[in-house]
């Protein structure tokens, strides 16, 4: 129980930490981006001022300084445009030298449109040097430098890479966990079946020896031993089937369910009432009988545990659409808390003092892996009862 709590908490902690890292990364890069944006804007303003000076002033000293500024801009793409909208000059716009002039023109116009959408232009006033009279205007358009564009995209690329990496690691981890679980299930089951085999054969031989003993005959001992041996055979068969790939056969579901009920009924409190309803007693499904009976037995045992000393276990066998068979097992027990339902099929999850938490994990494995069916909690209300549903393919 604690393991599942811890596991769930760990998931939340990892999620929260990743969100905090992502948000702070975006936030911090945003601050950098804004600072760099301010700096680039000022640089373009200075660049525009320098252009204004060079076109209006003929003082060679200033020209020297302004040209210095103009040539220093080697990262921000800019375009100088006249009042009619024609491009007079441009800097840092990437053009392929192999392009024909029409292609180049088109690219320049596209870039200009992009710049128009990005920032408002900085106007340059053209003045007559002698009278200082404004006789025209030009505009400097610009957009973010490559560095700035990269910096804006950076946190998103970083987060995507981390997310993809996390997702792949999660899949790999899950895959190896499932593979490991499979090996443990199969290995343990095979080993158990194997170990049971030897004493079982020897028991069978001993029963034959004492069967005809006049001192034992007529006391019902051999008959009881036969029953126990039969049960042991079933157990061995269950374990050996789960350790291999069981072959499915068309079986009468009502019959199999009745077998389990007749086995369990005398072994539980007399106040526990079993009821089996079937739409038709001839419903057939593709199942492996020993494993299917094991599932029903596990579900019924859980139902008995949930009810304590008295109650009703109702098993309904129904036909669904698309050639499906439903087996609903309902009890009038204490129910399962909503928060616990997602855990009940996990191996090791139990709320019982003497439980192993394997019954439902095994049932799920048998139904979903070997029968390609489904098993789930169809209904559960605290202190009202629980219904588990098994869905199988009809034969
Ligand atoms: N019919 C039910 N009513 C209420 N709770 C249930 C019912 N069936 C299962 N549960 C809950 O699901 C848990 C897991 O069931 P599962 O059969 O896997 O293990 P277990 O019964 O605890 O132990 P094991 O079956 O290995 O002896 C149970 O401990 C119980 O809390
Ligand atoms: Mg159980």
């Amino acid at each position: 129980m604690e393991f599942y709590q811890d596991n769930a908490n760990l998931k939340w902690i990892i999620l929260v930490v990743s969100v905090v890292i992502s948000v702070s990364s975006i936030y911090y890069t945003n601050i950098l981006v804004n600072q760099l944006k301010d700096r680039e804007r000022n640089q373009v303003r200075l660049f525009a001022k320098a252009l204004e000076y060079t076109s209006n002033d003929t003082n060679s000293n200033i020209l020297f300084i302004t040209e210095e500024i103009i040539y220093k801009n080697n990262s921000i793409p800019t375009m100088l445009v006249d009042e009619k909208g024609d491009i007079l000059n441009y800097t840092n716009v990437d053009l392929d030298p192999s392009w024909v002039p029409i292609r180049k023109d088109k690219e320049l116009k596209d870039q200009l449109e992009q710049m128009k959408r990005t920032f408002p232009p900085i106007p340059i006033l053209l003045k007559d040097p002698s009278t200082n009279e404004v006789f025209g205007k030009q505009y400097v358009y610009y957009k973010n430098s490559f560095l700035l564009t990269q910096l804006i995209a950076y946190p998103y690329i970083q987060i995507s890479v981390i997310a993809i990496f996390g997702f792949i690691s999660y899949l790999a981890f899950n895959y190896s966990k499932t593979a490991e679980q499979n090996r443990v299930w199969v290995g343990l089951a095979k080993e158990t079946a194997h170990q049971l085999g030897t004493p079982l054969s020897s028991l069978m031989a001993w029963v034959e020896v004492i069967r005809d003993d006049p001192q034992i005959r007529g006391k019902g001992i051999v008959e009881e031993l036969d029953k126990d041996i039969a049960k042991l055979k079933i157990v061995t068969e269950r374990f050996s089937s789960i350790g291999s790939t069981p072959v499915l056969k068309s079986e009468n579901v009502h019959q199999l369910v009745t077998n389990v009920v007749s086995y369990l009924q005398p072994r539980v409190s007399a106040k526990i009432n079993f009821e089996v309803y079937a739409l038709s007693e001839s419903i057939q499904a593709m199942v492996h009988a020993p494993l299917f009976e094991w599932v029903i037995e596990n579900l019924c045992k859980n139902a008995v545990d949930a009810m304590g000393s008295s109650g009703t276990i109702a098993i309904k066998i129904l036909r669904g659409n698309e050639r499906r068979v439903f087996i609903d097992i309902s009890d009038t027990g204490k129910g399962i808390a909503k928060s616990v339902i997602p855990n009940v099929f996990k191996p090791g999850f139990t709320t019982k003092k003497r439980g192993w938490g394997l019954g439902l994990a095994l049932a799920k494995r048998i139904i979903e892996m070997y029968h390609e069916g489904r098993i789930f909690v169809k209904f559960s209300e605290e202190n009202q009862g629980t219904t588990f549903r098994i869905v199988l393919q009809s034969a």
Side-chain angles (χ1 to χ4, degrees), residues 166-179:
F167 182 64
I168 292 174
S169 321
Y170 176 77
L171 284 188
F173 175 72
N174 250 12
Y175 175 76
S176 67
K177 205 172 88 178
T178 317

mmCIF file of all heavy atoms in Angstrom, residues 166-179:
data_model
loop_
_atom_site.group_PDB
_atom_site.id
_atom_site.type_symbol
_atom_site.label_atom_id
_atom_site.label_comp_id
_atom_site.label_asym_id
_atom_site.label_seq_id
_atom_site.Cartn_x
_atom_site.Cartn_y
_atom_site.Cartn_z
ATOM 1 N N GLY A 166 12.557 12.334 -21.701
ATOM 2 C CA GLY A 166 11.801 11.793 -20.565
ATOM 3 C C GLY A 166 10.825 10.725 -21.020
ATOM 4 O O GLY A 166 10.717 9.668 -20.405
ATOM 5 N N PHE A 167 10.150 11.005 -22.140
ATOM 6 C CA PHE A 167 9.140 10.080 -22.643
ATOM 7 C C PHE A 167 9.785 8.750 -23.053
ATOM 8 O O PHE A 167 9.303 7.671 -22.698
ATOM 9 C CB PHE A 167 8.435 10.727 -23.840
ATOM 10 C CG PHE A 167 7.336 9.895 -24.413
ATOM 11 C CD1 PHE A 167 6.207 9.607 -23.664
ATOM 12 C CD2 PHE A 167 7.426 9.389 -25.703
ATOM 13 C CE1 PHE A 167 5.189 8.831 -24.168
ATOM 14 C CE2 PHE A 167 6.415 8.611 -26.232
ATOM 15 C CZ PHE A 167 5.296 8.326 -25.474
ATOM 16 N N ILE A 168 10.921 8.862 -23.765
ATOM 17 C CA ILE A 168 11.613 7.645 -24.204
ATOM 18 C C ILE A 168 12.107 6.852 -22.988
ATOM 19 O O ILE A 168 11.942 5.633 -22.924
ATOM 20 C CB ILE A 168 12.783 7.986 -25.164
ATOM 21 C CG1 ILE A 168 12.210 8.524 -26.467
ATOM 22 C CG2 ILE A 168 13.650 6.754 -25.449
ATOM 23 C CD1 ILE A 168 13.225 9.039 -27.442
ATOM 24 N N SER A 169 12.669 7.567 -21.996
ATOM 25 C CA SER A 169 13.163 6.861 -20.809
ATOM 26 C C SER A 169 12.011 6.167 -20.102
ATOM 27 O O SER A 169 12.144 5.036 -19.633
ATOM 28 C CB SER A 169 13.800 7.809 -19.796
ATOM 29 O OG SER A 169 14.527 8.778 -20.425
ATOM 30 N N TYR A 170 10.856 6.864 -20.041
ATOM 31 C CA TYR A 170 9.691 6.286 -19.369
ATOM 32 C C TYR A 170 9.266 4.988 -20.074
ATOM 33 O O TYR A 170 9.017 3.968 -19.430
ATOM 34 C CB TYR A 170 8.553 7.310 -19.381
ATOM 35 C CG TYR A 170 7.267 6.804 -18.804
ATOM 36 C CD1 TYR A 170 7.094 6.707 -17.428
ATOM 37 C CD2 TYR A 170 6.216 6.422 -19.626
ATOM 38 C CE1 TYR A 170 5.913 6.229 -16.895
ATOM 39 C CE2 TYR A 170 5.040 5.939 -19.108
ATOM 40 C CZ TYR A 170 4.892 5.850 -17.739
ATOM 41 O OH TYR A 170 3.720 5.374 -17.225
ATOM 42 N N LEU A 171 9.224 5.045 -21.436
ATOM 43 C CA LEU A 171 8.827 3.861 -22.201
ATOM 44 C C LEU A 171 9.814 2.719 -21.970
ATOM 45 O O LEU A 171 9.410 1.578 -21.726
ATOM 46 C CB LEU A 171 8.790 4.190 -23.698
ATOM 47 C CG LEU A 171 7.607 5.003 -24.193
ATOM 48 C CD1 LEU A 171 7.628 5.066 -25.720
ATOM 49 C CD2 LEU A 171 6.284 4.399 -23.736
ATOM 50 N N ALA A 172 11.113 3.069 -22.021
ATOM 51 C CA ALA A 172 12.147 2.046 -21.857
ATOM 52 C C ALA A 172 12.048 1.424 -20.469
ATOM 53 O O ALA A 172 12.104 0.203 -20.313
ATOM 54 C CB ALA A 172 13.524 2.656 -22.066
ATOM 55 N N PHE A 173 11.847 2.296 -19.470
ATOM 56 C CA PHE A 173 11.744 1.813 -18.090
ATOM 57 C C PHE A 173 10.548 0.886 -17.942
ATOM 58 O O PHE A 173 10.643 -0.205 -17.385
ATOM 59 C CB PHE A 173 11.617 3.009 -17.149
ATOM 60 C CG PHE A 173 11.376 2.623 -15.727
ATOM 61 C CD1 PHE A 173 12.386 2.059 -14.962
ATOM 62 C CD2 PHE A 173 10.123 2.800 -15.139
ATOM 63 C CE1 PHE A 173 12.158 1.693 -13.649
ATOM 64 C CE2 PHE A 173 9.888 2.442 -13.831
ATOM 65 C CZ PHE A 173 10.908 1.890 -13.084
ATOM 66 N N ASN A 174 9.411 1.331 -18.492
ATOM 67 C CA ASN A 174 8.185 0.542 -18.403
ATOM 68 C C ASN A 174 8.336 -0.789 -19.110
ATOM 69 O O ASN A 174 7.895 -1.822 -18.620
ATOM 70 C CB ASN A 174 7.048 1.301 -19.080
ATOM 71 C CG ASN A 174 6.079 1.786 -18.051
ATOM 72 O OD1 ASN A 174 6.369 1.752 -16.864
ATOM 73 N ND2 ASN A 174 4.930 2.234 -18.498
ATOM 74 N N TYR A 175 8.979 -0.730 -20.296
ATOM 75 C CA TYR A 175 9.154 -1.947 -21.066
ATOM 76 C C TYR A 175 10.006 -2.939 -20.281
ATOM 77 O O TYR A 175 9.645 -4.108 -20.157
ATOM 78 C CB TYR A 175 9.805 -1.628 -22.413
ATOM 79 C CG TYR A 175 10.108 -2.877 -23.192
ATOM 80 C CD1 TYR A 175 9.079 -3.556 -23.843
ATOM 81 C CD2 TYR A 175 11.388 -3.399 -23.247
ATOM 82 C CE1 TYR A 175 9.333 -4.721 -24.527
ATOM 83 C CE2 TYR A 175 11.654 -4.568 -23.929
ATOM 84 C CZ TYR A 175 10.621 -5.225 -24.574
ATOM 85 O OH TYR A 175 10.870 -6.381 -25.246
ATOM 86 N N SER A 176 11.106 -2.449 -19.714
ATOM 87 C CA SER A 176 11.984 -3.387 -19.014
ATOM 88 C C SER A 176 11.304 -3.895 -17.748
ATOM 89 O O SER A 176 11.482 -5.041 -17.355
ATOM 90 C CB SER A 176 13.340 -2.753 -18.700
ATOM 91 O OG SER A 176 13.170 -1.733 -17.775
ATOM 92 N N LYS A 177 10.466 -3.034 -17.135
ATOM 93 C CA LYS A 177 9.745 -3.468 -15.935
ATOM 94 C C LYS A 177 8.760 -4.590 -16.293
ATOM 95 O O LYS A 177 8.684 -5.610 -15.613
ATOM 96 C CB LYS A 177 8.992 -2.273 -15.333
ATOM 97 C CG LYS A 177 8.729 -2.427 -13.854
ATOM 98 C CD LYS A 177 8.176 -1.160 -13.257
ATOM 99 C CE LYS A 177 6.675 -1.130 -13.362
ATOM 100 N NZ LYS A 177 6.068 0.050 -12.771
ATOM 101 N N THR A 178 8.016 -4.383 -17.407
ATOM 102 C CA THR A 178 7.042 -5.393 -17.828
ATOM 103 C C THR A 178 7.755 -6.687 -18.187
ATOM 104 O O THR A 178 7.305 -7.783 -17.820
ATOM 105 C CB THR A 178 6.255 -4.902 -19.061
ATOM 106 O OG1 THR A 178 5.918 -3.551 -18.831
ATOM 107 C CG2 THR A 178 5.007 -5.705 -19.292
ATOM 108 N N ALA A 179 8.879 -6.574 -18.897
ATOM 109 C CA ALA A 179 9.613 -7.766 -19.312
ATOM 110 C C ALA A 179 10.086 -8.531 -18.075
ATOM 111 O O ALA A 179 9.988 -9.760 -18.016
ATOM 112 C CB ALA A 179 10.794 -7.370 -20.177
#
